[in-house]
Amino acid sequence: MTPTITAFEASPDGGHGLARDMPVRWALEEVGQPYDVRLVSFAAMKEPAHLRLHPFGQIPTYEEGGLALFESGAIVFHLAAHHGGLFPDDADGRARAIMWMFAALNTVEPPVVEHDMAPFLDAGKPWYDERLSMLEDRVRVRLGELSARLGAADWLDGEFSAGDLLMVSVLRRLAGSGLVEEYPNLAAYVARGEARPAFQRAFAAQLAVFNASSGG
Ligand code: GTB
């Protein structure tokens, strides 16, 4: 059964693969699972048909036979659990890969998203520059800690795992801020993730959608 995911019909990310269908596409490519994509507009995401799949009216969703999932992390987890390639074979290694998935989404991502959203929510406010600087410092705290743990390793815990897939996806959201580049081992880590053939295929697929939607 070929799974179907949903993605933005016209992504506001400029084709940079920053929306959350990207980690799902990347995971599908890593495990070699072909998939279909149903593109949805912002309006369609809030309609009953989509809300039955996703109670918060967002992308991505994942449908496979009778199974319907939302939350990109849960979808990546599902793929890692049912295919080879994203979790180590041993139980302890798998538990640590899951730990890194949670670390990416629960510990590193919150300040990254807050920083990412600030220009949209707060630009023009008299305190904006001060707040942005505070948010940058909060991101730096997490990046510094992550950088110290990664050290000279290629991946967070041995072989590439779903934990790395989500961590790299979170760090990519800082693109253009210059913050990741302050930590050369993290910049190299992100570049290593982006160089993976599975990432490249996923990126090309979402870019093709963006180009079609923008007439490019
Ligand atoms: N926790 C959920 C998950 O991980 O699946 C969050 C899902 C989510 O935030 N979906 C967003 C969405 O559907 C798209 S990815 N938003 C529409 C809505 O809420 O109405 C977030 C996103 C959007 C745009 C950019 N960008 O332009 O760069 C980056 C990331």
Side-chain angles (χ1 to χ4, degrees), residues 8 11-14 18-21 42 45-46 54 56-60 70-73 75 105 109 116 120 173:
F8 281 136
S11 180
D13 71 359
L18 298 175
R20 291 171 198 255
D21 57 300
F42 278 94
M45 277 189 278
K46 309 303 175 195
H54 197 310
F56 309 115
Q58 297 183 314
I59 61 98
F70 59 92
E71 284 298 334
S72 55
I75 299 167
L105 300 180
E109 185 172 73
D116 198 34
F120 302 103
R173 203 139 169 196

Side-chain angles (χ1 to χ4, degrees), residues 88-134:
D89 291 334
D90 67 297
D92 287 358
R94 177 189 159 111
R96 288 194 300 272
I98 294 167
M99 170 187 76
W100 280 115
M101 294 175 72
F102 278 86
L105 300 180
N106 274 8
T107 302
V108 179
E109 185 172 73
V112 168
V113 169
E114 227 185 327
H115 172 271
D116 198 34
M117 295 308 290
F120 302 103
L121 300 178
D122 302 329
K125 307 266 171 55
W127 36 261
Y128 175 66
D129 288 347
E130 205 180 334
R131 174 165 162 76
L132 188 62
S133 162
M134 182 195 74

Side-chain angles (χ1 to χ4, degrees), residues 10 12 16 21 27 38 46 57 71 73-74 86 97 100 174 194 206 215:
H16 291 101
D21 57 300
R38 188 169 64 253
K46 309 303 175 195
E71 284 298 334
L86 285 174
W100 280 115
L174 292 166
E194 291 176 337
Q206 64 78 37

Side-chain angles (χ1 to χ4, degrees), residues 76-97:
V76 171
F77 189 112
H78 172 76
L79 292 168
H82 289 88
H83 301 264
L86 285 174
F87 279 158
D89 291 334
D90 67 297
D92 287 358
R94 177 189 159 111
R96 288 194 300 272

